[in-house]
Every structure is written in C-alpha cells, then in structure tokens.
Amino acid sequence: MFALARTITVLSSVFQVAFSGVYANMRMVHVLTSVVGTKCELKVKNGVIYEGVFKTYGPECDLVLDAAHRKSPEPSMGPRREDIVDSIIFKSSDVVVVHFKDVDLSYAKRDNFTDTAVSSRINGEHKEKDLEPWDGGDQHVSGSLESLDNDLSNGWDPDDMFKYNEETYGVKSTYDSSLSSYTVPLERDNSEEFLKREARAAQLAEEIEASAAYKARVALENDERSEEEKYTAVVRDSHTLNRENKYIPPGQRNREAGMSWGTGRQNSPRLVQCSPGPPTPRAGPHDYNTLSGVDQRVVNGGAHPWPSRCPSPSSRPPSRYQSGPTSLPPRASTPTRPPSRPPSRPLRPPSHPSAHGSTAPHSTVPKRLSSEGPPRMSPKSQRTPRGHRVASCRGGGPPGTDFMSQGASAEVSAPPPARSSPSGGTWSSVVSGALAPKSHRPRSPRQNSVGGAPPGPSSLSSPQAGTVPVDSMTTPASATSPTTASPAPNLAATPLAEAKESRIQETRQNSPSANKENVKPMESSSGISRPASKGVLLNYLLQSSSNPDPVFETTVTKSAREPGDKPKEQPIEKSTTDSTGPKVCSESSGSDEVSATPAGSKPSTPSPSPSSSALAAVSEQKRGPDVTSQGVQTSSPAVSASAKSDKEDKEEKKDPVPESVRKSTLNPNAKEFNPRAFCTPPKPATTPTLPRPQGQPSPSIVVQQSPAVYGQAMCFPQMYPLASVSPGVQVMYHVPVPHMTVSQSKPYRPGKVPNMPQQRPDQHHPPGTSTMMHPATAAGPPIVAPSPAYSTQYFTCSPQQFTSQPLVQQMTHYQSQAQHVFSPVMQGSARMITPHTHGQPSLVSSSTTQYGEQTHTMYGKDPNLNPNPFSAPIPQQYPHPSATLHPHPQHPQPSATPTGQAQQGTQHGGSHPAPSPVQHPQHQAAAAAAAAQALHLGNPPQQQMYSALAPTPPSMTPGPNPQSPQATFPSAQQALYIHPSQVQHGYSPNPMAHVQQAHMQSGMVPTHHGTPSHPPVMLMATQPPAGPQPPMAQGTLNPIPVSSTTHFSYMAHPPVQPHHQQQL
Amino acid sequence: MAAPAAGEYFSIGSCISCTTCLGQRLQGEVIAFDYHTKMLTLKCAPSSGKPNLSDVVLVNLAYVSDVDIVSDRTATPPPLASLNFNKLANRARAEKEDKLSQAYAISAGVSVEGQQLFQTIHKTIKDCKWQEKNIVVMDEVVISPPYRVDNCRGKEGSALSHVRKIVEKHFRDLENQKSVQRSQAQQTQKDSALSA
C-alpha cells in the first residue's frame, strides 16, 4: 500500500506531503489497506466480474487486482493459468462494487508480540535455560580473573577516587569523613559525668549486643553468603574447587578461603561503608568499625542515607574513643574544636537546660557511640571499617589536621573544614543524631573562629577528651551550639534562646526524626517562632553561612562555587552588615519578634533578636549571595545608594551584631551545607550516602537558616534602607519567620519531613504544598510566619541562585531532589512554607501591631500567598526570583518605578523599623516582593536568577506566583489577596497546595479586603497560568506581574504575561 | 446515480442499504466513505457465516440507487488501529501465488475431482500446492491422480494419516452429496412419475 501511495504521491506531486484523494480519507485508507491481500470480486459497470487479489489502490480509488481473472459464470472450474492477468488496474469510475468475502479486518492489527501471541506459540512450554557452570579451561591463565581474587581491596578507595577526580577533572570533593555536617564528635573528658555516661553507654551497648535480635541482625549483615551465592550463583561441583589456574566463583572462593575470605568480604562491605571516612587504613580498631557502624545505624534509625559514611564516622568515633587519648589529644590540639566547644558549651548549658528534646537524643546517641564504640571495635565488621576509619581519621587528615583545617577552614578553605569535620565526624558519628552535631561542630569551630570562641577551651577539652556520655551529650549540644554558633551571636544576646534554636537546628540537621524532635523542643520552648525560623534558618544558615563567614566563603569556594566566592564574600559582608542592621532593626522587629516570641517563651526578646539577627544575616547573606552571584549586589548597591548607606549603617550596627551574624553564618552547618550544596555535584559522586546526608543536612540547615532568616527578616527592614528591594523581602521574612517558629514547630517537623520526601519526589511543590497545608491548617494565623519562611526560602534560594552558577544548579537540584544541598534547601523551603502558613495568622497580628493596619492586612494576605508559592519546595526558590520580580511590580505600583518601588520598600522599612518596611511592600509579597524588588532593583542577578529559575519552572512558579500576587497586591491590597489565591490556583497542580491556597485565600480574603472584583480578576489571571502549567505558569505569572516586562522576558512564560497585563 | 439520502455523507457506523445498477442489493455498516470518489465501504455479514469474519463491500455510489439509511450511527467509530503492512503485503503475495499455482494446476489439466479435493484440503491445510498434477501437502504428502486415499504417498506419520483422513472424508462427503442428489433426483423422478 505504502509503496503505491508513495509512488503515486511522488509521481503526482513531488514531495507533496498532503495526501490527495482517497489517501486523505483516513478511514477509507484504513479499510482498503486492511483488505489488501484478500481475494475479491470486482464488478465493473458492464456487469463483468473480475476476481483477484486486492493489491492496492490509488489516490483516485483506482483499484489494483493481482492475479485477476475474469470470472466466468460457471463456478465449477477455477481459472486457467492463461486466464489470469498478473494485475489489473480498475478505474474507480468503472467499478460498481467490489466484494471482499470473509475478510478478517483485524488481520493486520494483530501483532506477534503480545503476551497472547507469544504465549500461544510457546504454549506454556517455555523453559528457562539451564544455567551451566563456566569453566575458564586450562587455557585460562591466572591473570584477568585471577587477579581479582588476589586483590583484596574492595574496589577503589574513596580517597583514590577523590584524588582521581581532582587530578583528572579538577573536582574537589567536599566529603568530610567525619561527617561533621551530620554529627558532632564526642567530646571526651574525665569528668565524672562523662565517665558515668560512658559506662552507661558501654553497658547499654553490651546489652544490645548481647541481645538475640542484635545477633540475628548482625548475622544477617555478616552472612558471608552473598545474595548471589544464595540465589543466583551457579552451583558448581566440588571438583571445580580444584582450581589452580581456573576461575573460582566468588562463592566458592569464600568457602575455600574460609574465614580469611569472609573477613575480607566483611571488610570490604564495611570498608565500603567506611570508605567515605578513612578508606585507606584498616589498621584502625576493627571492633570500632562494626560496633560503631551498628550503633550509628541504630542511632540513625536508618534515617541516614549514607551507610558507608555514617558507619565510618561512627566507627571512627569509636576508634577515636579507643585510641581515645591519642586521638583526642590531637583534636584538642586542633584549634577548631576548642573554639567550637567553648561557644557550644556556653551555649549548650543554656540550651541544654532549656533542653530541647534534641539534646536528650544526642546525649543518648553519644552514649551509645561512646559506650558501644569500644565494643563495636571488637566486632568483625568493625575491623575493616575500623582500619579504614582509623586510617581515614588518622591518615586522611586526622582529626588534628582536620580540626586545624576546620579552624582555619573558616577562613582558609572548605576542604579543610570538611576534613576536620571527619575527625569530628568520628565523634559525631558516634551518634547518628550527632550528625547535626557534627555539622554543628564544624560550624561551631568556624563560628568560633569567626565569632570568636570564648568557650573555646572548654569546648575543646570536652570534644577532645570525648568526655563521658554526658560530655558526649554536651558535645551534641555543643554541636548544637555550633549551629547556635550562628546563633552564637544571638546567644551572646540571648544564649538560651540561641542555644535552643541551635539545638533545634542541629537536631533537625542530624536527622529527620532528630529534626522533628528538635522542632518539638523548639516548640516547647517559645521557640515556635524558632522552629519555623529553623526551617527557614536552615536555608538561611546555609545561605548565611555562605555569606556570613569567611569560612563559608572558603567552603563555598572550595566546594566549587568558585565563581561566587568573592561575590559571596561581599554578600556575606553585606549580610553581616545586614544582620547588624537586623539587630538595629530588631527594635522594630523586636516588637515583631516579641509578638512572635510570645508563642515561644524563652526566645521572646532574645530569641527573636537572635533569630532576627540570624534572619538578618540570612537575608543579608541571601542578598549578598544573590548580588554576588548575579552581580546584583553591586547593582543593588548602585541601585540604591540609600540602600548602601543603609548597609553601612547596618554594618555599623553589625559591629555589635556581627558576631551573632557571623556565628549564624559561621554555623558549621551552614558552611558545611553550603559546601555540600555547592559541591553537591561532587559530593554525590563521591559518596552514595549523600541522599541521607542531604536529608539530614537540609533539616539542620533549615533550622539554622530559619534563625538566620529571622535575623534577616529583622535585618530586612534595615536592608530595605540599604537596598530598597532587599529590605522589603527581608522584612517579609522576618515577620514570617517568627510566626513560623511559633506555630510551626510541630507542623514543621512533620511538614519538614514530609516536605523533604515530597519535595524529592514531587519536585518540592507537592511537599511544599503538603507542608503548607499542614502549617496552614495547623497555624492558619501564623501566616505571617509563613511569609517569612517564604522570604527566607526565597532568600536562601536567591543566595544560592545568586551564587550565580549555583542558581541553575540549584534549580536543577531542586527539581532533581538529588542535590543534597538543594534538598536541604527544599526541605527548608518546605518548612518555610509550613511556617508561613502558620505564621500567617501570627504575622497578621504582628503585622497589624507593627505595620499599618492596611499593610498588616495586606501582609497577612501576602504571607498566605507567599506561603503558597513557597509551599512548593522548588517554588520557594523560584519564588524568590519571582518574588523579587513581583515585588518590583508591586513597588512600581506604589512608586511606579522598580527603583522607586525599592525605595518605597526602603521607605516602608524606614517607617517600619525592619519588618514593617518589608511588610509595607505588602507583607507577603512585601517580603518576597521586597526581596524580589531588592533583587530587581538592585539585583540584576535576580533577573538572572529568574532566568535560571526559568529552567526549573515548577519551583519557580510557586515562588513567582506568590511574588506576583504580592506585586499585584501592591497595586491593590485586595488584588494582592486575590493573587495569592490565584497563585494558589496555579499551584493547584499540587492538591495540597490548592487546598492550602484555598485555605489561605479563604482566610485571607475574609480577613483582608474581600474585594470581589479584584479577586476574580486576579484569579482569572492566575488561573490561566496555573491551568496550563501550574508550577511554571504560576512561576512565570508571578514573575511577570511582579517583575517588569523585562522579567517577563526572562521568565518567558506565557502565563506570566497575562498576569502582568492584568496586574498592570 | 441516486444521491445519498442523508446529505452526501454517511456517518461511520450507520447502516446503509442500496441497490446497484446491476440490481444487487447491498446492506451493511458504513466503515468508510470517500466523497470525492463516491466510494462507500460497507461491512456486511460474512458470506461464510464465520463470526470473526465479515464481508467488505466497496460500492461506487455513482452506480447505486435506492440508498437508504437503515439506522444511524449509534456509537462513535472506533479509533483506527495501526496496520502491519508487512503482514498485508505478505498476504497479498501469498494469495497471488496460491491463485497462480492453482491456475497453473488447472491449466495443467487437473480433473475437477482433483480441484475439488485441493479446495477441500486447502480449507484444512493451507500448506498445499499443485505440483504438476499432484497435490503436495505440507511438502510431505503427495497426492497424485486420481487423488484417492491410496494415492496419498509420503513418509509414514501423522501428516500422511491426517491427509488420508481428509481425502477419505472428502470423497465420503462427495459420495453422500451425490447420493443425496441421487435420492433427491430419484424422489423428484418418482414424484414426477407419480404425479404423472
């Protein structure tokens, strides 16, 4: 058929694709083609009947019959050969009827590859091939295969891999064998308490190891028979064993080798796990490895994605413990620890007392590690791991070096920190929960370095000594303290609150569960705002960390964010200044904080201030990062000289606050995370475990960030003055954050956890939405908080994005979920989102109090909107960009010009200390918008970011939507409100988001101005985008409205444009 | 040349009846219609009565009258499935070869009995062909004139026995048919005689 059709078409019209005649009639073509090859009787108009095999047909329905013959009226005889014409072409005009008899119309439809078709042929006789043993034969000289047997090493040593990648590809691994980002080294000391705890831990370990369940599980793990052996290996006759040069299957080898092989295997697996840490030397205490590994696992509760690393760390810790004195001393010697500890301890005491659940967990974990560590050392598996671990610890940059590096790392380079973390990692490894501690510790060291570590000595001693369980506990706390470190400054102001926050953050970082716990503690403590902040903080911290501290910068640079380093530094400085600013603003924000803090008892003023400072730092950082990455910084400054002046002012202010800011930024976690995030690509490659770490890191990061966010938020007001755009955003953040903390603490945990997973799978949006929902439901009032969270998220996102190149990567990361850094961010964002929702209510209240009434309402609405956008994890980041964009529009509306808007934002900030300004922009949007505006106005980078974001439409959209709503809102608050709802609609793709949105809208509209007309319009605009591509459209839409046309261009999203128009 | 009743279009799935200029009454379900060529394709009940088969009639409406829509489409036509062209092409080639081989056999002077036997065998076993005047079944069994059971030769086995059964049955049926005809003829004769 085709041939005909082709020939015909070709002949009739060269390359005329358009089918002519019958060929254009699909059904006719189908039917006629279906009967090709069947016999038919064709009657022509003169009554003659021809019979033949239908061959084909032409465009004019000319029919071709093969082997046709004129059918005689006498049916008896068949046609003679001479009667048959090879083929006859009948013109359709001559044909009266063609009768195809007994045609199977489904003949050509049948394929031979359906299950039915295949099974019909095989008819149940399918038989799997018998597996036959392969014998290399005598000719198989020992060599290729044999060499494998002789190679006891289990593949590449991680260090070798790192080295290879660095030499070959210039990729530097940020892997820290100590997992300092996730755990905190156990601080040993000779204190009675520590000894008691150690003894207790040892006892517990003994009990556990003595249990049948434990043994059974160990047996499973240590079962020398591999799965292949058990299920798929080819069974060979014993004679095959008589191999000299013959290939010996793995299974047999093991059997033959017996224990030696078995151990080898055990080692290898374990080694693999341990590999991350100290792959090289296995000499280390074997027992430690196994035990530690087990313990860690236990501790982690499987939460840790990195079997290898985690185990290694844990193992390492044990080894250290064993070596205890020796190892410890080095550590002690290391500057990093001391600093970290001191700060941490000081903080810890307060924090511990406040005692978030987190501390307790840590303590328990540490105990296990410490106690178990030794016993574990004994275990078989531990042997190899131990060796590796030990080696890693010792060889890889042993603790001492690591510490040194860490200590220096802050300033020097990320790699060192990472290494140092490893050393700490061992300790941290001890307790899975310690993961966060580790991170904290590293951070803490950094922080110490940055913010100065008064406690340094004490902390040092404890870490090194690996004080008794209690100490270990303390270490975790210290670890938290590191996290707090970021808070540290805050702590200075409000040790307790900071400590708590830090702890919370730490716990979150440590593990989802831990995070949850932390959150709870946070909640318990007035820290609700903190929790929310935490989520945000984590992000912020990350961001802030990058910005704030040199360490971060170094880490970042090290990690691979080379490009952004300098920029980041600047941003950091800015952030620091901002942070200071936040403090200054804290006055205004202070009220906000207070309002928020009310929920959280302790934090109240102190915590707020810290958080605010942190937020400020974060915001600053974010801004800074953004600016740096995009060069927005410069632009922003340029854009608003006033902003610069503000910044300067902030800087001045910072001087007092800087420490806190720095600390926050310094937060080991943040730094570490950043590196990871930045380095994520490399890291993933380096270690499989990354996934877990990510999750953990992210949580922790989130927590830290949240504080940072708060700080930022606080700063934002200041920021606004400094940078018209940024301030607004920051403000938004500030407000939301507090709220978030308050309402979210619980919600966050769940939300965070869910978010994390969801984000990964759903690309953030779903999670975010879900989280959003929770928060919203849980803390509808906190809306304000949510907005902060969003803002924070945005900030975080923006920072990352700003990091410039990172932005795109981040985007990808977000989408992929795979990216560790991003994932954290996402989580953070999710959390943020939740917080937002929660925060909204509170925000509103706070906003009202702080802000003008209208503004308040607006803010409240805005927060909602923002939350929605933020709700989507990815969106969050996107939101930032979009937010920035949107904010501009909003600003423009008021001021008519982006810059003007920015100024307005700044003005607002001026009128309202910190939060209020931001809020003024229209709170929600205000924050986002402010940020966006800031970005836009002062930050070309933001636009870039947007563009970058564009790649990741989903996430982007959420963000943008919120922002866009905000932007719209500026014009009319009501309109703004509507936008949020619209935004929500856009999010609709995510059921959760929709619901949340709906909630938000409902809540928002009622509370605020329920301008029917405006809302509808807005909805229309938003809806369109949402409909087409919820995420993208939203994002685009949001950006468009918010941002100027230019933004649109960036976004290039159709939906957005409509919004803009509408908005406009 | 009667114009289509319902406008000039036939909706797919509707049932149409018409009468050709040659006086043939057609009725079937419209499965395709081309306006420009006035070609209407109907799916009719299978002449063999097999449920999974159907007759397809391509009618040139230019030579049709009394077009009547028996019933309109009840459901939307099913989507068109992709076709295996190779399969169709192979079928066309095979059909052509079969017909040619058969024609060749006929032209070779094969008896009517032989042709009938061939048709009968072909119904059961597609793999049969003419080789000169011999019928070759499955390349194993050769039936040579006069095409009796005894004429079936080949390697002893299921194939040979199977072919023999077919041939045996063919002639038995043929005999029965003849006997029936005879009896009927006799009866008619008797009847006529009686009547006479």
Side-chain angles (χ1 to χ4, degrees):
Chain A
M1 296 299 292
F2 274 30
L4 272 178
R6 290 173 185 172
T7 55
I8 294 168
T9 53
V10 172
L11 293 175
S12 63
S13 58
V14 178
F15 297 114
Q16 184 174 356
V17 177
F19 295 109
S20 59
V22 174
Y23 290 162
N25 187 328
M26 289 194 63
R27 287 204 171 267
M28 183 62 79
V29 170
H30 187 266
V31 171
L32 292 179
T33 303
S34 296
V35 297
V36 166
T38 58
K39 291 178 180 177
C40 65
E41 293 179 359
L42 184 149
K43 291 182 181 177
V44 294
K45 57 186 177 182
N46 65 358
V48 176
I49 298 175
Y50 290 89
E51 183 180 301
V53 177
F54 183 61
K55 175 73 174 182
T56 187
Y57 54 95
E60 298 305 322
C61 210
D62 296 336
L63 306 177
V64 178
L65 297 187
D66 269 6
H69 71 276
R70 181 173 175 173
K71 192 173 183 178
S72 63
E74 302 172 0
S76 61
M77 292 293 290
R80 288 178 168 278
R81 179 68 187 82
E82 51 272 26
D83 297 335
I84 294 176
V85 178
D86 195 52
S87 63
I88 301 174
I89 299 174
F90 298 91
K91 286 192 174 185
S92 60
S93 59
D94 295 334
V95 176
V96 175
V97 172
V98 182
H99 198 155
F100 302 88
K101 292 183 178 177
D102 298 333
V103 174
D104 181 1
L105 291 174
S106 62
Y107 175 81
K109 297 176 186 175
R110 295 172 184 168
D111 71 296
N112 297 324
F113 298 99
T114 60
D115 289 349
T116 304
V118 173
S119 62
S120 65
R121 275 180 291 170
I122 295 173
N123 193 25
E125 293 180 358
H126 177 64
K127 189 177 180 180
E128 291 187 4
K129 290 194 293 183
D130 294 329
L131 296 177
E132 299 179 9
W134 176 78
D135 187 347
D138 295 341
Q139 293 180 347
H140 178 70
V141 180
S142 63
S144 57
L145 293 175
E146 216 64 28
S147 63
L148 295 176
D149 295 345
N150 298 333
D151 184 1
L152 297 180
S153 67
N154 186 36
W156 279 47
D157 184 288
D159 287 342
D160 291 342
M161 288 188 271
F162 293 151
K163 183 181 178 183
Y164 182 85
N165 280 324
E166 184 171 349
E167 291 178 351
T168 305
Y169 305 107
V171 176
K172 289 184 179 180
S173 170
T174 57
Y175 169 70
D176 181 351
S177 62
S178 70
L179 300 184
S180 58
S181 298
Y182 309 97
T183 62
V184 173
L186 180 63
E187 296 179 7
R188 283 179 168 276
D189 66 23
N190 293 328
S191 69
E192 192 173 340
E193 187 179 3
F194 180 87
L195 293 175
K196 284 182 180 178
R197 291 196 180 189
E198 191 173 39
R200 167 68 175 162
Q203 182 183 345
L204 290 175
E206 201 170 339
E207 291 177 359
I208 293 171
E209 291 179 354
S211 68
Y214 172 84
K215 289 178 179 176
R217 288 169 187 153
V218 170
L220 283 176
E221 286 212 2
N222 295 342
D223 186 346
E224 298 191 357
R225 295 190 305 152
S226 64
E227 283 199 17
E228 180 189 0
E229 257 181 293
K230 291 177 182 175
Y231 308 109
T232 64
V234 175
V235 177
R236 295 175 189 258
D237 297 338
S238 60
H239 70 269
T240 55
L241 294 177
N242 305 336
R243 49 120 187 206
E244 288 182 352
N245 292 334
K246 291 183 180 179
Y247 168 80
I248 297 174
Q252 290 184 352
R253 290 177 210 158
N254 291 337
R255 294 174 186 174
E256 291 179 357
M259 293 306 291
S260 64
W261 281 99
T263 56
R265 286 188 176 180
Q266 291 177 352
N267 292 341
S268 64
R270 293 178 182 177
L271 289 174
V272 173
Q273 293 178 349
C274 296
S275 63
T280 54
R282 295 180 182 178
H286 298 286
D287 297 349
Y288 289 90
N289 293 335
T290 55
L291 292 176
S292 64
V294 175
D295 291 349
Q296 291 175 346
R297 292 179 183 177
V298 175
V299 174
N300 292 342
H304 297 283
W306 325 29
S308 62
R309 290 186 180 181
C310 290
S312 65
S314 62
S315 63
R316 293 179 183 178
S319 64
R320 291 182 180 178
Y321 287 107
Q322 293 177 348
S323 63
T326 57
S327 64
L328 292 175
R331 295 180 181 177
S333 64
T334 57
T336 56
R337 284 189 179 179
S340 64
R341 287 186 180 179
S344 65
R345 285 186 179 179
L347 296 175
R348 292 176 185 176
S351 65
H352 289 289
S354 60
H356 297 285
S358 64
T359 56
H362 290 291
S363 63
T364 57
V365 175
K367 290 179 180 179
R368 289 184 180 179
L369 294 174
S370 63
S371 64
E372 292 178 356
R376 293 178 183 176
M377 296 299 285
S378 61
K380 299 175 182 178
S381 62
Q382 294 174 353
R383 293 177 184 177
T384 53
R386 293 175 184 175
H388 291 288
R389 294 177 181 178
V390 173
S392 64
C393 295
R394 296 176 183 177
T401 55
D402 292 348
F403 285 105
M404 294 301 290
S405 63
Q406 290 178 349
S409 66
E411 296 176 356
V412 177
S413 63
R419 292 181 183 179
S420 63
S421 63
S423 62
T426 57
W427 292 92
S428 63
S429 65
V430 173
V431 179
S432 62
L435 292 178
K438 289 180 179 179
S439 62
H440 291 293
R441 288 186 178 180
R443 295 177 181 177
S444 65
R446 295 177 183 177
Q447 293 176 350
N448 293 338
S449 62
V450 175
S458 63
S459 65
L460 291 173
S461 63
S462 63
Q464 294 174 351
T467 56
V468 187
V470 175
D471 291 353
S472 64
M473 294 300 288
T474 57
T475 53
S478 64
T480 56
S481 65
T483 52
T484 54
S486 56
N490 297 337
L491 291 178
T494 55
L496 296 176
E498 291 177 352
K500 291 179 180 178
E501 291 177 352
S502 64
R503 290 180 182 177
I504 295 170
Q505 294 175 347
E506 290 177 353
T507 56
R508 290 180 181 178
Q509 292 176 346
N510 291 343
S511 61
S513 62
N515 293 338
K516 292 179 179 179
E517 292 177 356
N518 292 335
V519 174
K520 291 178 180 178
M522 294 297 288
E523 292 176 354
S524 64
S525 63
S526 57
I528 297 177
S529 61
R530 293 178 181 178
S533 64
K534 290 177 181 178
V536 176
L537 290 178
L538 294 179
N539 297 336
Y540 288 109
L541 291 176
L542 294 176
Q543 298 173 349
S544 65
S545 64
S546 63
N547 296 333
D549 298 345
V551 175
F552 282 99
E553 294 176 352
T554 57
T555 57
V556 172
T557 56
K558 292 178 179 179
S559 62
R561 295 182 180 179
E562 303 165 356
D565 292 350
K566 292 180 179 180
K568 290 179 180 178
E569 291 179 356
Q570 294 175 351
I572 293 168
E573 292 176 355
K574 294 178 179 178
S575 65
T576 56
T577 57
D578 293 348
S579 64
T580 57
K583 290 181 179 179
V584 176
C585 295
S586 63
E587 297 175 352
S588 62
S589 65
S591 60
D592 295 349
E593 291 176 355
V594 173
S595 63
T597 52
S601 59
K602 295 178 181 179
S604 61
T605 54
S607 63
S609 64
S611 64
S612 64
S613 64
L615 292 175
V618 174
S619 64
E620 291 176 356
Q621 292 174 351
K622 290 177 178 180
R623 294 178 180 177
D626 295 346
V627 173
T628 55
S629 62
Q630 297 177 349
V632 175
Q633 293 178 345
T634 57
S635 65
S636 63
V639 171
S640 60
S642 63
K644 290 182 179 178
S645 63
D646 293 350
K647 289 181 179 179
E648 292 177 355
D649 295 348
K650 291 179 179 179
E651 291 178 352
E652 293 176 354
K653 294 178 180 179
K654 289 177 180 178
D655 296 350
V657 180
E659 293 178 353
S660 62
V661 174
R662 290 178 183 177
K663 290 179 180 180
S664 63
T665 55
L666 291 178
N667 294 353
N669 296 333
K671 291 179 180 178
E672 291 177 355
F673 287 105
N674 290 339
R676 290 180 182 176
F678 292 96
C679 298
T680 47
K683 288 183 177 180
T686 56
T687 50
T689 53
L690 289 178
R692 291 181 183 176
Q694 292 177 348
Q696 294 175 350
S698 63
S700 63
I701 293 171
V702 173
V703 175
Q704 292 177 349
Q705 291 177 348
S706 64
V709 173
Y710 286 105
Q712 292 177 350
M714 295 301 290
C715 295
F716 278 101
Q718 297 175 352
M719 291 300 290
Y720 283 104
L722 296 177
S724 60
V725 177
S726 62
V729 175
Q730 291 176 350
V731 174
M732 292 302 289
Y733 292 114
H734 288 292
V735 175
V737 175
H739 295 288
M740 291 299 287
T741 55
V742 175
S743 63
Q744 291 174 345
S745 59
K746 293 177 181 179
Y748 282 123
R749 292 179 182 177
K752 288 180 179 179
V753 174
N755 290 345
M756 293 300 288
Q758 292 177 350
Q759 290 175 348
R760 293 177 182 176
D762 295 349
Q763 296 180 345
H764 307 297
H765 287 286
T769 56
S770 66
T771 55
M772 291 298 288
M773 290 301 289
H774 292 289
T777 58
I783 294 170
V784 175
S787 64
Y790 289 104
S791 63
T792 56
Q793 293 176 350
Y794 290 107
F795 284 103
T796 56
C797 294
S798 63
Q800 294 175 348
Q801 295 175 349
F802 287 96
T803 51
S804 66
Q805 296 173 349
L807 292 177
V808 175
Q809 293 176 350
Q810 292 177 348
M811 294 299 290
T812 57
H813 289 288
Y814 288 105
Q815 293 175 347
S816 65
Q817 296 176 348
Q819 296 177 345
H820 299 287
V821 177
F822 289 92
S823 65
V825 174
M826 292 300 290
Q827 291 176 351
S829 65
R831 293 180 181 178
M832 293 296 288
I833 295 169
T834 54
H836 289 291
T837 57
H838 291 290
Q840 292 177 347
S842 64
L843 288 174
V844 173
S845 63
S846 65
S847 65
T848 55
T849 57
Q850 296 176 351
Y851 307 108
E853 294 175 352
Q854 293 176 349
T855 56
H856 289 292
T857 57
M858 292 300 288
Y859 291 117
K861 293 176 180 180
D862 292 359
N864 292 334
L865 295 174
N866 291 339
N868 293 335
F870 288 82
S871 63
I874 297 171
Q876 293 177 346
Q877 294 177 347
Y878 295 103
H880 289 288
S882 63
T884 56
L885 294 172
H886 291 290
H888 288 288
Q890 292 178 351
H891 289 288
Q893 293 176 349
S895 63
T897 324
T899 55
Q901 292 176 352
Q903 292 175 351
Q904 292 177 349
T906 56
Q907 293 175 353
H908 291 288
S911 63
H912 304 279
S916 62
V918 177
Q919 293 176 352
H920 289 292
Q922 298 181 352
H923 314 283
Q924 10 131 342
Q933 292 175 349
L935 294 174
H936 291 290
L937 295 177
N939 304 328
Q942 290 181 345
Q943 293 177 349
Q944 294 175 351
M945 293 299 291
Y946 288 104
S947 63
L949 292 175
T952 54
S955 63
M956 292 298 287
T957 52
N961 289 338
Q963 293 177 352
S964 63
Q966 293 176 351
T968 57
F969 288 104
S971 61
Q973 292 178 350
Q974 295 175 351
L976 291 174
Y977 287 93
I978 296 168
H979 284 287
S981 63
Q982 292 177 349
V983 175
Q984 292 175 353
H985 290 290
Y987 291 103
S988 63
N990 300 339
M992 294 299 290
H994 288 290
V995 176
Q996 292 177 348
Q997 292 176 349
H999 289 289
M1000 293 298 289
Q1001 292 176 349
S1002 64
M1004 295 299 285
V1005 174
T1007 57
H1008 301 290
H1009 310 280
T1011 58
S1013 62
H1014 290 285
V1017 176
M1018 294 303 290
L1019 291 173
M1020 293 299 287
T1022 55
Q1023 290 175 349
Q1029 297 174 351
M1032 294 299 291
Q1034 292 178 350
T1036 56
L1037 289 173
N1038 292 329
I1040 296 170
V1042 176
S1043 63
S1044 62
T1045 55
T1046 57
H1047 290 290
F1048 287 95
S1049 64
Y1050 286 95
M1051 294 306 289
H1053 297 284
V1056 176
Q1057 292 176 350
H1059 285 289
H1060 286 292
Q1061 293 176 350
Q1062 291 178 351
Q1063 290 177 350
L1064 294 175
Chain B
M1 287 299 293
E8 292 181 342
Y9 294 90
F10 299 91
S11 56
I12 306 299
S14 60
C15 189
I16 298 295
S17 67
C18 63
T19 302
T20 66
C21 62
L22 299 177
Q24 182 181 9
R25 185 69 183 174
L26 299 174
Q27 178 171 336
E29 175 187 347
V30 176
I31 53 177
F33 171 68
D34 185 68
Y35 173 77
H36 298 287
T37 56
K38 297 288 193 295
M39 298 301 283
L40 175 66
T41 306
L42 300 178
K43 183 170 73 174
C44 308
S47 53
S48 66
K50 293 183 179 179
N52 59 332
L53 301 178
S54 60
D55 281 8
V56 174
V57 178
L58 184 63
V59 180
N60 188 338
L61 291 180
Y63 306 109
V64 167
S65 61
D66 301 334
V67 176
D68 183 27
I69 297 176
V70 175
S71 64
D72 208 339
R73 164 175 59 189
T74 56
T76 57
L80 299 177
S82 61
L83 300 176
N84 186 334
F85 294 97
N86 286 334
K87 206 173 177 181
L88 293 170
N90 290 336
R91 180 173 67 175
R93 188 182 67 249
E95 287 286 341
K96 181 179 180 180
E97 289 178 355
D98 283 352
K99 183 173 181 179
L100 291 176
S101 67
Q102 191 172 344
Y104 183 81
I106 294 171
S107 63
V110 176
S111 65
V112 176
E113 289 77 12
Q115 293 182 43
Q116 291 176 337
L117 176 62
F118 182 89
Q119 294 296 337
T120 301
I121 295 172
H122 190 71
K123 289 178 181 177
T124 306
I125 302 173
K126 294 296 180 184
D127 185 9
C128 62
K129 59 189 176 183
W130 286 103
Q131 192 173 61
E132 295 298 331
K133 292 183 180 180
N134 298 334
I135 299 173
V136 179
V137 182
M138 298 165 65
D139 291 331
E140 291 185 14
V141 180
V142 177
I143 307 173
S144 56
Y147 314 112
R148 291 294 169 178
V149 176
D150 297 340
N151 301 123
C152 296
R153 296 187 306 277
K155 182 181 179 181
E156 286 298 333
S158 59
L160 180 58
S161 63
H162 186 60
V163 171
R164 282 178 174 170
K165 288 181 181 177
I166 294 173
V167 174
E168 182 180 357
K169 185 175 184 298
H170 169 74
F171 285 104
R172 188 171 59 242
D173 292 344
L174 207 60
E175 289 300 322
N176 293 337
Q177 191 174 358
K178 289 180 180 177
S179 65
V180 171
Q181 290 178 349
R182 290 174 186 172
S183 63
Q184 290 179 347
Q186 290 176 355
Q187 284 187 343
T188 54
Q189 289 178 356
K190 290 179 181 177
D191 293 344
S192 63
L194 291 174
S195 63

